[in-house]
Amino acid sequence: MFRRSILLYSSCRRLSSSSLSRMTPPRFTPAQRVAKFDQDVWSIFTPLAAETKAINLGQGFMNFGPPAVVQNAAKEAIERVEANQYSHPKGRPRLRNALAASYSPEFNRQLDPETEILVTAGANEAMFATFAGYLDEGSEVIVMEPFFDQYIPNITMNGGKPVYVPLRAPSHATTQNISSSEWRLDTDELQSKITPRTKMIVLNTPHNPIGKVFDEDELRAIGKVAEQHDLIILTDEVYDRLYYPPLTKFPRIAALDEFWNRTLTVGSGGKSFASTGWRIGWLIGPEHLIKYAFAAQTRVVFCVNSPCQEAIAAGLEASLTQPLFKDQTANYLQKRAKLSKVFDDLGLPYTSPQGAYYILVNTSKIRYPADYVFPDILHQRGDDFKMCYWLTKEIGVCAIPPSEFYMKDHWPLAKDFARFAFCKTDDVLDQAVDRLKALKKYIL
Ligand code: GLN
């Protein structure tokens, strides 16, 4: 094999660069599991925002760095030889211990860092590894719609089939502001989607893009369905440190009744410590569930970015004695107020989020010029892609079209919405607010 690649390499070298460029590149058939993927919304709108110099309230990343304690720990870790090498595939002991210390009170149980915690390459890979660990060809996974877009390919790439159940907003949401708590799941509808092939229910709280924090009654109703049909609950709680008053506590399904035994909870260092590019996430759950996600993960990434694990551990350790999360929430609360106000002033109704950092705005009153020319690629997407494109290019503020969070047949449900992220510094939010004021003349 080695000799063959050397031969290939030397024969290539004999070709002049001009003869190389005349060769048609070979065409290979992609695997069915990826062949039909559309371009994802993030790689359309993040570059568009950059090209057009729009203020990017689209993709949910911060324009500020991690807290000093976390940044300093990352720098120190890079200076330590050992912290630059492979970690234990379960995660570095320091991080698993810090997670146990931070999360045990949250789950009302003493978490075992050896068996009940798995450090993952971001929350996304935590979910991928869980699907890989539990789905067989044709296994069905219940997903609430709207859903965070990555769930679907993560399920299908592992042979699973997503089955959708809607979260519905009340009808007055088109004319007045509502709380994200008013988006509701109908438990009978959830029941009706279960078949003998159903393996798992995916929950997301605080919810992206709605901001809904499921209350204990709602969680119990979902948990009971899971119990009745013996399903796994995979709960994406990456925004767990960001929930707003009047909520004083973040309800976790794994901490209620007997649901711990069937639940895997996903968390995120990126969201909690403004480090979305570090890809440090985790899974928390009982040993009998974690172990197959761990088995799959070991064969995908083997282990996770070592120095950044040390740094997230330092952040969690600091949070035990310092009000890091409380201060962060207070900052986000102000940001939510700042961005909400411009939509109030413009008379655009929105869902006020109980958690996370997105505002879902109803755009039906905005009229962009009828003859506005959109790139072809947008004609194959939901109508909200056009609205968000126009907002980005002409108003100078980028938002995400939420039809990306619906299956294709349901794209029309999202046509009048745009998702704005407020995980930005105040000066940037102020500029965005100024630009958004220019919408006034386009509003009916
Ligand atoms: N979770 C972030 C969002 O919803 C980023 C998603 C991503 O880039 N894959 O904006």
Side-chain angles (χ1 to χ4, degrees):
M1 185 68 188
F2 181 53
R3 279 181 76 196
R4 189 163 161 254
S5 57
I6 288 183
L7 282 175
L8 282 174
Y9 176 64
S10 51
S11 62
C12 281
R13 282 215 308 183
R14 281 200 297 275
L15 295 170
S16 70
S17 58
S18 60
S19 63
L20 263 181
S21 64
R22 279 198 304 276
M23 283 168 62
T24 359
R27 280 206 262 143
F28 300 109
T29 314
Q32 281 306 307
R33 71 178 83 88
V34 301
K36 295 206 180 88
F37 286 171
D38 279 333
Q39 188 179 3
D40 69 279
V41 75
W42 321 106
S43 54
I44 298 176
F45 281 90
T46 301
L48 180 70
E51 268 162 42
T52 55
K53 301 212 171 358
I55 294 171
N56 191 355
L57 305 190
Q59 191 176 26
F61 62 87
M62 301 79 186
N63 70 328
F64 48 90
V69 58
V70 174
Q71 289 197 32
N72 292 338
K75 290 175 199 159
E76 280 164 23
I78 282 177
E79 282 165 15
R80 266 188 294 128
V81 172
E82 165 276 328
N84 292 279
Q85 310 309 323
Y86 299 124
S87 293
H88 191 293
K90 283 184 191 169
R92 297 177 77 74
R94 181 180 176 192
L95 178 53
R96 282 186 280 132
N97 288 332
L99 285 163
S102 174
Y103 278 92
S104 289
E106 296 278 317
F107 287 89
N108 304 323
R109 61 169 56 241
Q110 192 51 50
L111 295 171
D112 182 343
E114 270 309 304
T115 56
E116 297 178 330
I117 292 174
L118 175 65
V119 177
T120 60
N124 197 74
E125 192 267 324
M127 300 196 70
F128 188 95
T130 305
F131 297 135
Y134 284 98
L135 302 186
D136 283 311
E137 209 54 43
S139 301
E140 293 178 5
V141 181
I142 304 277
V143 176
M144 287 167 213
E145 199 181 35
F147 46 77
F148 179 54
D149 66 323
Q150 291 284 83
Y151 301 162
I152 308 307
N154 283 359
I155 292 168
T156 57
M157 277 195 278
N158 286 297
K161 181 179 163 217
V163 174
Y164 304 96
V165 57
L167 288 172
R168 289 205 179 84
S171 53
H172 61 260
T174 50
T175 51
Q176 64 196 67
N177 296 346
I178 59 163
S179 159
S180 56
S181 63
E182 293 177 68
W183 287 75
R184 308 284 299 188
L185 173 78
D186 177 339
T187 322
D188 292 337
E189 208 169 352
L190 169 64
Q191 279 276 13
S192 75
K193 305 277 176 168
I194 311 260
T195 76
R197 289 176 300 282
T198 312
K199 187 79 189 244
M200 205 181 280
I201 299 178
V202 174
L203 178 66
N204 178 205
T205 178
H207 186 277
N208 177 11
I210 295 171
K212 180 180 175 70
V213 174
F214 286 75
D215 67 28
E216 290 193 358
D217 290 343
E218 292 172 311
L219 295 175
R220 281 206 171 88
I222 296 165
K224 289 215 172 84
V225 174
E227 241 164 30
Q228 206 178 325
H229 299 276
D230 203 15
L231 308 176
I232 297 170
I233 300 166
L234 176 59
T235 178
D236 172 0
E237 300 184 358
V238 295
Y239 302 97
D240 61 352
R241 307 296 188 170
L242 281 175
Y243 57 91
Y244 306 113
L247 292 178
T248 51
K249 184 174 170 273
F250 173 61
R252 296 179 190 273
I253 194 162
L256 295 176
D257 303 344
E258 300 301 313
F259 304 139
W260 165 259
N261 288 323
R262 58 179 66 255
T263 303
L264 282 171
T265 300
V266 180
S268 160
K271 310 290 192 276
S272 303
F273 296 107
S275 56
T276 60
W278 286 10
R279 315 313 294 140
I280 303 290
W282 48 84
L283 268 178
I284 297 176
E287 180 178 10
H288 61 263
L289 274 181
I290 286 254
K291 71 177 179 191
Y292 294 107
F294 174 49
Q297 146 154 321
T298 309
R299 296 304 180 186
V300 182
V301 292
F302 179 65
C303 72
V304 175
N305 181 330
S306 299
C308 292
Q309 288 193 55
E310 290 287 308
I312 296 295
L316 288 165
E317 288 159 6
S319 77
L320 299 174
T321 53
Q322 298 165 35
L324 285 184
F325 296 136
K326 196 163 157 256
D327 293 352
Q328 180 165 262
T329 302
N331 285 334
Y332 273 106
L333 196 56
Q334 267 185 352
K335 296 178 195 302
R336 186 184 72 167
K338 204 184 263 296
L339 191 59
S340 302
K341 184 169 180 308
V342 71
F343 299 122
D344 285 327
D345 293 347
L346 290 165
L348 296 178
Y350 57 87
T351 296
S352 187
Q354 298 159 284
Y357 38 62
Y358 307 109
I359 301 181
L360 204 52
V361 177
N362 188 300
T363 56
S364 58
K365 287 195 208 161
I366 305 174
R367 289 281 175 275
Y368 52 72
D371 56 355
Y372 195 79
V373 179
F374 292 100
D376 280 347
I377 171 188
L378 297 191
H379 297 301
Q380 291 135 39
R381 311 298 282 246
D383 287 349
D384 52 333
F385 271 68
K386 290 186 184 145
M387 175 61 77
C388 289
Y389 178 89
W390 179 81
L391 284 168
T392 307
K393 266 202 102 167
E394 304 304 328
I395 301 297
V397 179
C398 178
I400 288 296
S403 61
E404 184 82 353
F405 306 142
Y406 286 83
M407 67 182 279
K408 192 167 183 179
D409 290 351
H410 295 166
W411 283 356
L413 293 173
K415 73 176 173 32
D416 291 332
F417 290 103
R419 191 199 77 172
F420 293 82
F422 54 86
C423 46
K424 306 291 166 180
T425 48
D426 289 345
D427 58 322
V428 166
L429 286 175
D430 284 335
Q431 285 177 55
V433 164
D434 271 348
R435 292 186 183 189
L436 285 167
K437 286 180 184 156
L439 270 178
K440 206 165 186 80
K441 65 173 185 283
Y442 298 98
I443 289 180
L444 279 183

PDB file of all heavy atoms in Angstrom, residues 285-300:
ATOM      1  N   GLY A 285     -25.644  10.553  32.301  1.00  0.00           N
ATOM      2  CA  GLY A 285     -26.737   9.573  32.377  1.00  0.00           C
ATOM      3  C   GLY A 285     -26.266   8.314  33.062  1.00  0.00           C
ATOM      4  O   GLY A 285     -25.091   8.194  33.453  1.00  0.00           O
ATOM      5  N   PRO A 286     -27.171   7.362  33.197  1.00  0.00           N
ATOM      6  CA  PRO A 286     -26.807   6.127  33.903  1.00  0.00           C
ATOM      7  C   PRO A 286     -25.793   5.312  33.093  1.00  0.00           C
ATOM      8  O   PRO A 286     -25.785   5.386  31.858  1.00  0.00           O
ATOM      9  CB  PRO A 286     -28.141   5.384  34.013  1.00  0.00           C
ATOM     10  CG  PRO A 286     -28.969   5.908  32.893  1.00  0.00           C
ATOM     11  CD  PRO A 286     -28.546   7.332  32.679  1.00  0.00           C
ATOM     12  N   GLU A 287     -25.002   4.545  33.789  1.00  0.00           N
ATOM     13  CA  GLU A 287     -23.940   3.768  33.137  1.00  0.00           C
ATOM     14  C   GLU A 287     -24.489   2.891  32.004  1.00  0.00           C
ATOM     15  O   GLU A 287     -23.901   2.798  30.931  1.00  0.00           O
ATOM     16  CB  GLU A 287     -23.235   2.902  34.187  1.00  0.00           C
ATOM     17  CG  GLU A 287     -22.129   2.066  33.585  1.00  0.00           C
ATOM     18  CD  GLU A 287     -21.391   1.230  34.612  1.00  0.00           C
ATOM     19  OE1 GLU A 287     -21.841   1.145  35.776  1.00  0.00           O
ATOM     20  OE2 GLU A 287     -20.347   0.649  34.244  1.00  0.00           O
ATOM     21  N   HIS A 288     -25.659   2.261  32.262  1.00  0.00           N
ATOM     22  CA  HIS A 288     -26.159   1.317  31.248  1.00  0.00           C
ATOM     23  C   HIS A 288     -26.516   2.030  29.936  1.00  0.00           C
ATOM     24  O   HIS A 288     -26.560   1.390  28.903  1.00  0.00           O
ATOM     25  CB  HIS A 288     -27.356   0.511  31.793  1.00  0.00           C
ATOM     26  CG  HIS A 288     -28.526   1.350  32.185  1.00  0.00           C
ATOM     27  ND1 HIS A 288     -28.768   1.740  33.482  1.00  0.00           N
ATOM     28  CD2 HIS A 288     -29.519   1.902  31.456  1.00  0.00           C
ATOM     29  CE1 HIS A 288     -29.869   2.475  33.520  1.00  0.00           C
ATOM     30  NE2 HIS A 288     -30.338   2.593  32.303  1.00  0.00           N
ATOM     31  N   LEU A 289     -26.760   3.345  29.991  1.00  0.00           N
ATOM     32  CA  LEU A 289     -27.034   4.081  28.743  1.00  0.00           C
ATOM     33  C   LEU A 289     -25.783   4.716  28.154  1.00  0.00           C
ATOM     34  O   LEU A 289     -25.567   4.702  26.953  1.00  0.00           O
ATOM     35  CB  LEU A 289     -28.052   5.197  29.014  1.00  0.00           C
ATOM     36  CG  LEU A 289     -29.525   4.842  28.960  1.00  0.00           C
ATOM     37  CD1 LEU A 289     -30.369   6.083  29.226  1.00  0.00           C
ATOM     38  CD2 LEU A 289     -29.894   4.238  27.601  1.00  0.00           C
ATOM     39  N   ILE A 290     -24.976   5.300  29.028  1.00  0.00           N
ATOM     40  CA  ILE A 290     -23.760   5.988  28.560  1.00  0.00           C
ATOM     41  C   ILE A 290     -22.839   5.022  27.823  1.00  0.00           C
ATOM     42  O   ILE A 290     -22.160   5.388  26.874  1.00  0.00           O
ATOM     43  CB  ILE A 290     -22.990   6.592  29.774  1.00  0.00           C
ATOM     44  CG1 ILE A 290     -23.708   7.832  30.315  1.00  0.00           C
ATOM     45  CG2 ILE A 290     -21.540   6.880  29.438  1.00  0.00           C
ATOM     46  CD1 ILE A 290     -23.080   9.150  29.995  1.00  0.00           C
ATOM     47  N   LYS A 291     -22.817   3.784  28.247  1.00  0.00           N
ATOM     48  CA  LYS A 291     -21.720   2.925  27.784  1.00  0.00           C
ATOM     49  C   LYS A 291     -21.735   2.677  26.272  1.00  0.00           C
ATOM     50  O   LYS A 291     -20.686   2.545  25.674  1.00  0.00           O
ATOM     51  CB  LYS A 291     -21.612   1.641  28.591  1.00  0.00           C
ATOM     52  CG  LYS A 291     -22.672   0.625  28.403  1.00  0.00           C
ATOM     53  CD  LYS A 291     -22.296  -0.583  29.267  1.00  0.00           C
ATOM     54  CE  LYS A 291     -23.340  -1.652  29.136  1.00  0.00           C
ATOM     55  NZ  LYS A 291     -23.165  -2.708  30.121  1.00  0.00           N
ATOM     56  N   TYR A 292     -22.934   2.671  25.657  1.00  0.00           N
ATOM     57  CA  TYR A 292     -22.930   2.431  24.203  1.00  0.00           C
ATOM     58  C   TYR A 292     -22.648   3.720  23.410  1.00  0.00           C
ATOM     59  O   TYR A 292     -22.102   3.658  22.311  1.00  0.00           O
ATOM     60  CB  TYR A 292     -24.211   1.726  23.775  1.00  0.00           C
ATOM     61  CG  TYR A 292     -24.246   0.334  24.367  1.00  0.00           C
ATOM     62  CD1 TYR A 292     -25.091   0.019  25.420  1.00  0.00           C
ATOM     63  CD2 TYR A 292     -23.345  -0.631  23.928  1.00  0.00           C
ATOM     64  CE1 TYR A 292     -25.071  -1.240  26.005  1.00  0.00           C
ATOM     65  CE2 TYR A 292     -23.310  -1.895  24.513  1.00  0.00           C
ATOM     66  CZ  TYR A 292     -24.174  -2.192  25.544  1.00  0.00           C
ATOM     67  OH  TYR A 292     -24.127  -3.430  26.116  1.00  0.00           O
ATOM     68  N   ALA A 293     -23.005   4.853  23.976  1.00  0.00           N
ATOM     69  CA  ALA A 293     -22.605   6.119  23.347  1.00  0.00           C
ATOM     70  C   ALA A 293     -21.075   6.219  23.413  1.00  0.00           C
ATOM     71  O   ALA A 293     -20.408   6.623  22.456  1.00  0.00           O
ATOM     72  CB  ALA A 293     -23.265   7.297  24.057  1.00  0.00           C
ATOM     73  N   PHE A 294     -20.539   5.806  24.541  1.00  0.00           N
ATOM     74  CA  PHE A 294     -19.079   5.807  24.722  1.00  0.00           C
ATOM     75  C   PHE A 294     -18.414   4.850  23.723  1.00  0.00           C
ATOM     76  O   PHE A 294     -17.406   5.183  23.086  1.00  0.00           O
ATOM     77  CB  PHE A 294     -18.764   5.409  26.175  1.00  0.00           C
ATOM     78  CG  PHE A 294     -17.300   5.224  26.453  1.00  0.00           C
ATOM     79  CD1 PHE A 294     -16.373   6.183  26.072  1.00  0.00           C
ATOM     80  CD2 PHE A 294     -16.842   4.089  27.126  1.00  0.00           C
ATOM     81  CE1 PHE A 294     -15.012   6.017  26.334  1.00  0.00           C
ATOM     82  CE2 PHE A 294     -15.497   3.915  27.384  1.00  0.00           C
ATOM     83  CZ  PHE A 294     -14.579   4.874  26.990  1.00  0.00           C
ATOM     84  N   ALA A 295     -19.017   3.681  23.559  1.00  0.00           N
ATOM     85  CA  ALA A 295     -18.451   2.698  22.619  1.00  0.00           C
ATOM     86  C   ALA A 295     -18.393   3.297  21.215  1.00  0.00           C
ATOM     87  O   ALA A 295     -17.393   3.162  20.506  1.00  0.00           O
ATOM     88  CB  ALA A 295     -19.301   1.429  22.618  1.00  0.00           C
ATOM     89  N   ALA A 296     -19.462   3.997  20.811  1.00  0.00           N
ATOM     90  CA  ALA A 296     -19.484   4.584  19.474  1.00  0.00           C
ATOM     91  C   ALA A 296     -18.492   5.742  19.390  1.00  0.00           C
ATOM     92  O   ALA A 296     -17.711   5.853  18.443  1.00  0.00           O
ATOM     93  CB  ALA A 296     -20.896   5.073  19.146  1.00  0.00           C
ATOM     94  N   GLN A 297     -18.513   6.608  20.389  1.00  0.00           N
ATOM     95  CA  GLN A 297     -17.642   7.791  20.352  1.00  0.00           C
ATOM     96  C   GLN A 297     -16.167   7.426  20.257  1.00  0.00           C
ATOM     97  O   GLN A 297     -15.391   8.062  19.545  1.00  0.00           O
ATOM     98  CB  GLN A 297     -17.912   8.662  21.582  1.00  0.00           C
ATOM     99  CG  GLN A 297     -16.669   9.353  22.080  1.00  0.00           C
ATOM    100  CD  GLN A 297     -16.903  10.631  22.827  1.00  0.00           C
ATOM    101  OE1 GLN A 297     -17.754  11.419  22.481  1.00  0.00           O
ATOM    102  NE2 GLN A 297     -16.114  10.847  23.842  1.00  0.00           N
ATOM    103  N   THR A 298     -15.769   6.365  20.969  1.00  0.00           N
ATOM    104  CA  THR A 298     -14.355   5.968  20.959  1.00  0.00           C
ATOM    105  C   THR A 298     -13.907   5.636  19.539  1.00  0.00           C
ATOM    106  O   THR A 298     -12.765   5.855  19.167  1.00  0.00           O
ATOM    107  CB  THR A 298     -14.143   4.740  21.872  1.00  0.00           C
ATOM    108  OG1 THR A 298     -14.737   5.032  23.123  1.00  0.00           O
ATOM    109  CG2 THR A 298     -12.676   4.442  22.077  1.00  0.00           C
ATOM    110  N   ARG A 299     -14.870   5.118  18.732  1.00  0.00           N
ATOM    111  CA  ARG A 299     -14.523   4.744  17.355  1.00  0.00           C
ATOM    112  C   ARG A 299     -14.727   5.885  16.379  1.00  0.00           C
ATOM    113  O   ARG A 299     -14.511   5.724  15.176  1.00  0.00           O
ATOM    114  CB  ARG A 299     -15.352   3.529  16.933  1.00  0.00           C
ATOM    115  CG  ARG A 299     -15.044   2.304  17.765  1.00  0.00           C
ATOM    116  CD  ARG A 299     -13.574   1.990  17.692  1.00  0.00           C
ATOM    117  NE  ARG A 299     -13.203   0.815  18.466  1.00  0.00           N
ATOM    118  CZ  ARG A 299     -11.943   0.434  18.625  1.00  0.00           C
ATOM    119  NH1 ARG A 299     -10.945   1.126  18.096  1.00  0.00           N
ATOM    120  NH2 ARG A 299     -11.667  -0.625  19.333  1.00  0.00           N
ATOM    121  N   VAL A 300     -15.184   7.023  16.851  1.00  0.00           N
ATOM    122  CA  VAL A 300     -15.331   8.181  15.959  1.00  0.00           C
ATOM    123  C   VAL A 300     -14.193   9.169  16.215  1.00  0.00           C
ATOM    124  O   VAL A 300     -13.359   9.413  15.362  1.00  0.00           O
ATOM    125  CB  VAL A 300     -16.704   8.880  16.130  1.00  0.00           C
ATOM    126  CG1 VAL A 300     -16.827  10.051  15.153  1.00  0.00           C
ATOM    127  CG2 VAL A 300     -17.844   7.902  15.905  1.00  0.00           C
TER     128      VAL A 300
END
